[in-house]
Amino acid sequence: QRQLLQSGGGSVQGGGSLRLSCAASGYTYSSYCMGWFRQAPGKEREGVAAIDSDGSISYADSVKGRFTISRDNSKNTVYLQMNNLNAADTAMYYCAARSAGDSREWWLGDTYNYWGQGTQVTVAS
């Protein structure tokens, strides 16, 4: 059974940092592109970052320079380090996986096959 289990998140003051983790099981993790998405109340889901199996990385403009995505294939885990958080980052965050080398845009959530359970990030201004 393929699963993505998220951990991390919580509440933080503006300017603070949080790290999200997403552990994969039940499939060949290293062969998948891993992405992070978020959805704030009343807003559409948006792509935050993605890291493909070859290590190529993409970020949304809104998080460039503040967020860092990384993966540890030995632990089947992808991370999202979030620094200098602000109120606009408040959202439910989800990790997701799709087949490596998918040529469709990384921020298209519908191209991902597997999703984590979500974790709330709240930033107090």
Short mmCIF file of all heavy atoms in Angstrom, two decimals, residues 27-78:
data_model
loop_
_atom_site.label_atom_id
_atom_site.label_comp_id
_atom_site.label_asym_id
_atom_site.label_seq_id
_atom_site.Cartn_x
_atom_site.Cartn_y
_atom_site.Cartn_z
N TYR A 27 6.32 2.00 -2.28
CA TYR A 27 6.68 2.12 -3.68
C TYR A 27 8.14 2.55 -3.76
O TYR A 27 8.75 2.91 -2.76
CB TYR A 27 5.77 3.10 -4.42
CG TYR A 27 5.85 4.53 -3.94
CD1 TYR A 27 6.64 5.46 -4.59
CD2 TYR A 27 5.11 4.96 -2.83
CE1 TYR A 27 6.71 6.77 -4.16
CE2 TYR A 27 5.17 6.27 -2.40
CZ TYR A 27 5.96 7.17 -3.07
OH TYR A 27 6.03 8.48 -2.64
N THR A 28 8.67 2.53 -4.97
CA THR A 28 10.07 2.89 -5.18
C THR A 28 10.18 4.41 -5.16
O THR A 28 10.11 5.08 -6.19
CB THR A 28 10.58 2.33 -6.52
OG1 THR A 28 10.29 0.94 -6.58
CG2 THR A 28 12.07 2.56 -6.65
N TYR A 29 10.37 4.92 -3.99
CA TYR A 29 10.33 6.35 -3.74
C TYR A 29 11.28 7.11 -4.66
O TYR A 29 10.95 8.18 -5.17
CB TYR A 29 10.68 6.59 -2.28
CG TYR A 29 11.06 7.99 -1.93
CD1 TYR A 29 10.09 8.96 -1.72
CD2 TYR A 29 12.39 8.35 -1.80
CE1 TYR A 29 10.44 10.25 -1.40
CE2 TYR A 29 12.75 9.64 -1.49
CZ TYR A 29 11.76 10.58 -1.28
OH TYR A 29 12.12 11.86 -0.96
N SER A 30 12.47 6.58 -4.86
CA SER A 30 13.49 7.30 -5.61
C SER A 30 13.10 7.51 -7.07
O SER A 30 13.70 8.34 -7.76
CB SER A 30 14.83 6.58 -5.53
OG SER A 30 14.72 5.27 -6.05
N SER A 31 12.11 6.78 -7.55
CA SER A 31 11.67 6.90 -8.95
C SER A 31 10.55 7.93 -9.12
O SER A 31 9.99 8.02 -10.21
CB SER A 31 11.17 5.55 -9.46
OG SER A 31 12.19 4.60 -9.42
N TYR A 32 10.24 8.64 -8.08
CA TYR A 32 9.13 9.57 -8.13
C TYR A 32 9.58 11.01 -7.93
O TYR A 32 10.52 11.30 -7.21
CB TYR A 32 8.09 9.21 -7.06
CG TYR A 32 7.19 8.08 -7.48
CD1 TYR A 32 7.67 6.77 -7.51
CD2 TYR A 32 5.89 8.31 -7.88
CE1 TYR A 32 6.86 5.73 -7.92
CE2 TYR A 32 5.07 7.28 -8.28
CZ TYR A 32 5.57 5.99 -8.30
OH TYR A 32 4.75 4.96 -8.70
N CYS A 33 8.85 11.89 -8.58
CA CYS A 33 8.95 13.31 -8.32
C CYS A 33 8.09 13.62 -7.11
O CYS A 33 6.95 13.17 -7.02
CB CYS A 33 8.46 14.10 -9.53
SG CYS A 33 8.30 15.87 -9.26
N MET A 34 8.65 14.39 -6.17
CA MET A 34 7.92 14.73 -4.96
C MET A 34 7.62 16.22 -4.95
O MET A 34 8.49 17.04 -5.25
CB MET A 34 8.75 14.37 -3.73
CG MET A 34 9.14 12.90 -3.66
SD MET A 34 7.72 11.81 -3.58
CE MET A 34 6.99 12.30 -2.02
N GLY A 35 6.41 16.56 -4.59
CA GLY A 35 6.01 17.96 -4.55
C GLY A 35 5.36 18.33 -3.24
O GLY A 35 4.89 17.46 -2.50
N TRP A 36 5.39 19.61 -2.97
CA TRP A 36 4.67 20.17 -1.82
C TRP A 36 3.64 21.17 -2.36
O TRP A 36 3.96 21.99 -3.22
CB TRP A 36 5.60 20.89 -0.87
CG TRP A 36 6.43 19.98 -0.02
CD1 TRP A 36 7.72 19.61 -0.22
CD2 TRP A 36 6.02 19.33 1.19
NE1 TRP A 36 8.14 18.76 0.76
CE2 TRP A 36 7.11 18.57 1.65
CE3 TRP A 36 4.83 19.29 1.92
CZ2 TRP A 36 7.06 17.79 2.81
CZ3 TRP A 36 4.77 18.52 3.06
CH2 TRP A 36 5.87 17.78 3.51
N PHE A 37 2.45 21.07 -1.84
CA PHE A 37 1.36 21.96 -2.21
C PHE A 37 0.76 22.56 -0.95
O PHE A 37 0.97 22.04 0.15
CB PHE A 37 0.28 21.18 -2.98
CG PHE A 37 0.73 20.70 -4.33
CD1 PHE A 37 1.53 19.59 -4.47
CD2 PHE A 37 0.35 21.38 -5.47
CE1 PHE A 37 1.96 19.16 -5.71
CE2 PHE A 37 0.75 20.97 -6.73
CZ PHE A 37 1.57 19.85 -6.84
N ARG A 38 0.02 23.62 -1.11
CA ARG A 38 -0.67 24.20 0.03
C ARG A 38 -2.02 24.75 -0.41
O ARG A 38 -2.23 25.09 -1.57
CB ARG A 38 0.16 25.29 0.70
CG ARG A 38 0.39 26.52 -0.15
CD ARG A 38 1.36 27.47 0.57
NE ARG A 38 1.60 28.69 -0.18
CZ ARG A 38 2.49 29.62 0.16
NH1 ARG A 38 3.24 29.44 1.26
NH2 ARG A 38 2.64 30.71 -0.57
N GLN A 39 -2.92 24.82 0.55
CA GLN A 39 -4.23 25.38 0.27
C GLN A 39 -4.69 26.16 1.50
O GLN A 39 -4.81 25.59 2.59
CB GLN A 39 -5.25 24.30 -0.08
CG GLN A 39 -6.58 24.87 -0.54
CD GLN A 39 -7.46 23.83 -1.21
OE1 GLN A 39 -7.29 22.63 -1.03
NE2 GLN A 39 -8.40 24.30 -2.02
N ALA A 40 -4.93 27.43 1.29
CA ALA A 40 -5.45 28.30 2.35
C ALA A 40 -6.97 28.35 2.24
O ALA A 40 -7.52 28.12 1.16
CB ALA A 40 -4.86 29.69 2.22
N PRO A 41 -7.65 28.64 3.33
CA PRO A 41 -9.12 28.70 3.30
C PRO A 41 -9.61 29.67 2.24
O PRO A 41 -9.12 30.81 2.14
CB PRO A 41 -9.48 29.19 4.70
CG PRO A 41 -8.35 28.74 5.55
CD PRO A 41 -7.13 28.86 4.68
N GLY A 42 -10.52 29.21 1.40
CA GLY A 42 -11.10 30.06 0.37
C GLY A 42 -10.22 30.26 -0.84
O GLY A 42 -10.58 31.03 -1.74
N LYS A 43 -9.08 29.60 -0.88
CA LYS A 43 -8.17 29.76 -2.01
C LYS A 43 -7.93 28.43 -2.70
O LYS A 43 -8.14 27.36 -2.12
CB LYS A 43 -6.84 30.35 -1.55
CG LYS A 43 -6.95 31.77 -1.03
CD LYS A 43 -5.58 32.36 -0.76
CE LYS A 43 -5.69 33.81 -0.32
NZ LYS A 43 -4.33 34.41 -0.09
N GLU A 44 -7.47 28.50 -3.93
CA GLU A 44 -7.16 27.29 -4.66
C GLU A 44 -5.83 26.70 -4.17
O GLU A 44 -4.96 27.41 -3.66
CB GLU A 44 -7.07 27.58 -6.16
CG GLU A 44 -8.41 27.95 -6.78
CD GLU A 44 -8.34 28.03 -8.29
OE1 GLU A 44 -7.24 27.87 -8.84
OE2 GLU A 44 -9.38 28.27 -8.91
N ARG A 45 -5.70 25.41 -4.39
CA ARG A 45 -4.45 24.74 -4.07
C ARG A 45 -3.34 25.29 -4.98
O ARG A 45 -3.57 25.53 -6.17
CB ARG A 45 -4.60 23.24 -4.29
CG ARG A 45 -3.38 22.42 -4.00
CD ARG A 45 -3.68 20.95 -4.24
NE ARG A 45 -4.08 20.72 -5.61
CZ ARG A 45 -4.68 19.60 -6.03
NH1 ARG A 45 -4.97 18.64 -5.16
NH2 ARG A 45 -5.00 19.44 -7.31
N GLU A 46 -2.16 25.48 -4.42
CA GLU A 46 -1.05 25.96 -5.22
C GLU A 46 0.19 25.12 -4.96
O GLU A 46 0.42 24.63 -3.85
CB GLU A 46 -0.75 27.43 -4.91
CG GLU A 46 -0.28 27.71 -3.51
CD GLU A 46 0.23 29.14 -3.33
OE1 GLU A 46 0.64 29.77 -4.32
OE2 GLU A 46 0.20 29.61 -2.16
N GLY A 47 0.97 24.98 -6.00
CA GLY A 47 2.24 24.29 -5.87
C GLY A 47 3.25 25.16 -5.15
O GLY A 47 3.33 26.36 -5.43
N VAL A 48 3.98 24.56 -4.24
CA VAL A 48 4.98 25.29 -3.47
C VAL A 48 6.38 24.97 -3.98
O VAL A 48 7.19 25.87 -4.24
CB VAL A 48 4.87 24.94 -1.97
CG1 VAL A 48 6.00 25.60 -1.19
CG2 VAL A 48 3.51 25.34 -1.43
N ALA A 49 6.68 23.69 -4.14
CA ALA A 49 8.00 23.26 -4.59
C ALA A 49 7.92 21.82 -5.04
O ALA A 49 7.00 21.08 -4.65
CB ALA A 49 9.03 23.42 -3.47
N ALA A 50 8.89 21.43 -5.83
CA ALA A 50 8.97 20.05 -6.28
C ALA A 50 10.42 19.67 -6.48
O ALA A 50 11.25 20.52 -6.83
CB ALA A 50 8.17 19.82 -7.56
N ILE A 51 10.70 18.39 -6.27
CA ILE A 51 12.04 17.87 -6.53
C ILE A 51 11.89 16.55 -7.26
O ILE A 51 11.21 15.63 -6.79
CB ILE A 51 12.85 17.73 -5.21
CG1 ILE A 51 14.25 17.23 -5.49
CG2 ILE A 51 12.11 16.84 -4.20
CD1 ILE A 51 15.19 17.37 -4.29
N ASP A 52 12.52 16.46 -8.41
CA ASP A 52 12.38 15.27 -9.23
C ASP A 52 13.43 14.23 -8.83
O ASP A 52 14.30 14.50 -7.99
CB ASP A 52 12.50 15.62 -10.72
CG ASP A 52 11.61 14.76 -11.59
OD1 ASP A 52 11.37 13.58 -11.20
OD2 ASP A 52 11.16 15.23 -12.64
N SER A 53 13.33 13.07 -9.44
CA SER A 53 14.24 11.97 -9.07
C SER A 53 15.68 12.29 -9.42
O SER A 53 16.60 11.74 -8.81
CB SER A 53 13.81 10.68 -9.76
OG SER A 53 13.84 10.82 -11.16
N ASP A 54 15.90 13.18 -10.41
CA ASP A 54 17.27 13.54 -10.79
C ASP A 54 17.80 14.71 -9.96
O ASP A 54 18.90 15.20 -10.21
CB ASP A 54 17.33 13.90 -12.28
CG ASP A 54 16.47 15.11 -12.63
OD1 ASP A 54 15.80 15.67 -11.73
OD2 ASP A 54 16.46 15.49 -13.81
N GLY A 55 17.00 15.16 -8.99
CA GLY A 55 17.42 16.24 -8.11
C GLY A 55 17.04 17.62 -8.59
O GLY A 55 17.31 18.61 -7.89
N SER A 56 16.44 17.73 -9.76
CA SER A 56 16.03 19.04 -10.24
C SER A 56 14.93 19.60 -9.35
O SER A 56 14.04 18.86 -8.93
CB SER A 56 15.56 18.97 -11.69
OG SER A 56 14.48 18.07 -11.82
N ILE A 57 14.98 20.89 -9.10
CA ILE A 57 14.10 21.53 -8.12
C ILE A 57 13.39 22.71 -8.75
O ILE A 57 13.96 23.45 -9.56
CB ILE A 57 14.92 21.99 -6.89
CG1 ILE A 57 15.40 20.77 -6.10
CG2 ILE A 57 14.12 22.92 -6.01
CD1 ILE A 57 16.34 21.11 -4.94
N SER A 58 12.14 22.87 -8.35
CA SER A 58 11.35 24.02 -8.78
C SER A 58 10.65 24.62 -7.58
O SER A 58 10.27 23.90 -6.65
CB SER A 58 10.31 23.60 -9.81
OG SER A 58 10.89 23.00 -10.94
N TYR A 59 10.49 25.94 -7.61
CA TYR A 59 9.81 26.65 -6.53
C TYR A 59 8.78 27.62 -7.09
O TYR A 59 8.98 28.19 -8.17
CB TYR A 59 10.79 27.47 -5.69
CG TYR A 59 11.77 26.68 -4.87
CD1 TYR A 59 13.08 26.54 -5.29
CD2 TYR A 59 11.38 26.07 -3.68
CE1 TYR A 59 13.99 25.82 -4.54
CE2 TYR A 59 12.29 25.35 -2.92
CZ TYR A 59 13.59 25.23 -3.37
OH TYR A 59 14.49 24.51 -2.61
N ALA A 60 7.74 27.84 -6.32
CA ALA A 60 6.84 28.93 -6.63
C ALA A 60 7.56 30.25 -6.34
O ALA A 60 8.38 30.32 -5.42
CB ALA A 60 5.58 28.83 -5.77
N ASP A 61 7.25 31.27 -7.11
CA ASP A 61 7.91 32.57 -6.92
C ASP A 61 7.72 33.09 -5.49
O ASP A 61 8.60 33.75 -4.94
CB ASP A 61 7.38 33.58 -7.92
CG ASP A 61 7.86 33.32 -9.34
OD1 ASP A 61 8.85 32.57 -9.50
OD2 ASP A 61 7.26 33.87 -10.27
N SER A 62 6.57 32.79 -4.92
CA SER A 62 6.23 33.34 -3.61
C SER A 62 7.10 32.78 -2.48
O SER A 62 7.13 33.36 -1.39
CB SER A 62 4.75 33.07 -3.30
OG SER A 62 4.49 31.68 -3.33
N VAL A 63 7.79 31.67 -2.74
CA VAL A 63 8.59 31.06 -1.67
C VAL A 63 10.08 31.00 -1.98
O VAL A 63 10.87 30.59 -1.14
CB VAL A 63 8.07 29.64 -1.32
CG1 VAL A 63 6.59 29.66 -1.01
CG2 VAL A 63 8.38 28.65 -2.44
N LYS A 64 10.45 31.42 -3.18
CA LYS A 64 11.87 31.38 -3.55
C LYS A 64 12.70 32.19 -2.57
O LYS A 64 12.33 33.30 -2.20
CB LYS A 64 12.04 31.92 -4.97
CG LYS A 64 11.69 30.94 -6.07
CD LYS A 64 11.92 31.56 -7.45
CE LYS A 64 11.55 30.59 -8.55
NZ LYS A 64 11.69 31.20 -9.90
N GLY A 65 13.82 31.61 -2.18
CA GLY A 65 14.71 32.28 -1.25
C GLY A 65 14.33 32.08 0.21
O GLY A 65 15.10 32.43 1.11
N ARG A 66 13.14 31.52 0.45
CA ARG A 66 12.71 31.29 1.84
C ARG A 66 12.50 29.81 2.15
O ARG A 66 12.76 29.37 3.27
CB ARG A 66 11.39 32.05 2.11
CG ARG A 66 11.48 33.54 1.92
CD ARG A 66 10.19 34.24 2.37
NE ARG A 66 9.03 33.79 1.62
CZ ARG A 66 7.95 33.24 2.17
NH1 ARG A 66 7.90 33.05 3.49
NH2 ARG A 66 6.92 32.88 1.42
N PHE A 67 12.02 29.07 1.17
CA PHE A 67 11.74 27.65 1.36
C PHE A 67 12.81 26.82 0.64
O PHE A 67 13.30 27.21 -0.42
CB PHE A 67 10.38 27.28 0.79
CG PHE A 67 9.21 27.81 1.58
CD1 PHE A 67 9.34 28.80 2.54
CD2 PHE A 67 7.93 27.33 1.31
CE1 PHE A 67 8.25 29.28 3.23
CE2 PHE A 67 6.83 27.80 2.00
CZ PHE A 67 6.99 28.78 2.96
N THR A 68 13.10 25.66 1.20
CA THR A 68 14.04 24.74 0.58
C THR A 68 13.46 23.33 0.61
O THR A 68 13.09 22.83 1.67
CB THR A 68 15.39 24.73 1.30
OG1 THR A 68 15.94 26.06 1.31
CG2 THR A 68 16.37 23.79 0.61
N ILE A 69 13.36 22.73 -0.56
CA ILE A 69 12.90 21.35 -0.65
C ILE A 69 14.13 20.45 -0.79
O ILE A 69 15.11 20.80 -1.46
CB ILE A 69 11.93 21.14 -1.84
CG1 ILE A 69 11.29 19.76 -1.79
CG2 ILE A 69 12.60 21.41 -3.17
CD1 ILE A 69 10.17 19.57 -2.81
N SER A 70 14.07 19.30 -0.15
CA SER A 70 15.18 18.35 -0.26
C SER A 70 14.61 16.94 -0.08
O SER A 70 13.48 16.77 0.39
CB SER A 70 16.26 18.63 0.78
OG SER A 70 15.73 18.50 2.10
N ARG A 71 15.40 15.97 -0.47
CA ARG A 71 14.96 14.59 -0.31
C ARG A 71 16.12 13.74 0.16
O ARG A 71 17.27 14.00 -0.19
CB ARG A 71 14.36 14.05 -1.60
CG ARG A 71 15.30 13.91 -2.77
CD ARG A 71 14.54 13.65 -4.08
NE ARG A 71 13.85 12.37 -4.07
CZ ARG A 71 12.89 12.04 -4.94
NH1 ARG A 71 12.54 12.90 -5.89
NH2 ARG A 71 12.29 10.87 -4.87
N ASP A 72 15.80 12.74 0.94
CA ASP A 72 16.77 11.76 1.39
C ASP A 72 16.25 10.41 0.94
O ASP A 72 15.36 9.82 1.55
CB ASP A 72 16.90 11.82 2.92
CG ASP A 72 17.99 10.91 3.46
OD1 ASP A 72 18.38 9.96 2.73
OD2 ASP A 72 18.44 11.12 4.58
N ASN A 73 16.81 9.92 -0.16
CA ASN A 73 16.31 8.66 -0.72
C ASN A 73 16.57 7.48 0.20
O ASN A 73 15.85 6.48 0.16
CB ASN A 73 16.93 8.42 -2.09
CG ASN A 73 16.38 9.37 -3.14
OD1 ASN A 73 15.34 10.00 -2.95
ND2 ASN A 73 17.09 9.48 -4.26
N SER A 74 17.59 7.57 1.04
CA SER A 74 17.88 6.47 1.95
C SER A 74 16.81 6.35 3.03
O SER A 74 16.62 5.27 3.61
CB SER A 74 19.24 6.67 2.61
OG SER A 74 19.23 7.78 3.49
N LYS A 75 16.08 7.44 3.26
CA LYS A 75 15.01 7.45 4.25
C LYS A 75 13.63 7.55 3.62
O LYS A 75 12.63 7.65 4.33
CB LYS A 75 15.21 8.61 5.24
CG LYS A 75 16.47 8.52 6.06
CD LYS A 75 16.58 9.69 7.03
CE LYS A 75 17.84 9.58 7.87
NZ LYS A 75 17.97 10.73 8.82
N ASN A 76 13.60 7.55 2.29
CA ASN A 76 12.33 7.68 1.57
C ASN A 76 11.55 8.91 2.06
O ASN A 76 10.31 8.85 2.23
CB ASN A 76 11.46 6.43 1.74
CG ASN A 76 11.97 5.26 0.94
OD1 ASN A 76 12.95 5.38 0.21
ND2 ASN A 76 11.33 4.13 1.08
N THR A 77 12.25 9.99 2.26
CA THR A 77 11.62 11.16 2.87
C THR A 77 11.97 12.42 2.09
O THR A 77 13.11 12.59 1.65
CB THR A 77 12.07 11.31 4.33
OG1 THR A 77 11.69 10.13 5.06
CG2 THR A 77 11.42 12.52 4.98
N VAL A 78 10.98 13.28 1.96
CA VAL A 78 11.18 14.60 1.37
C VAL A 78 10.88 15.63 2.45
O VAL A 78 10.02 15.42 3.31
CB VAL A 78 10.29 14.80 0.12
CG1 VAL A 78 8.81 14.73 0.48
CG2 VAL A 78 10.61 16.11 -0.56
#
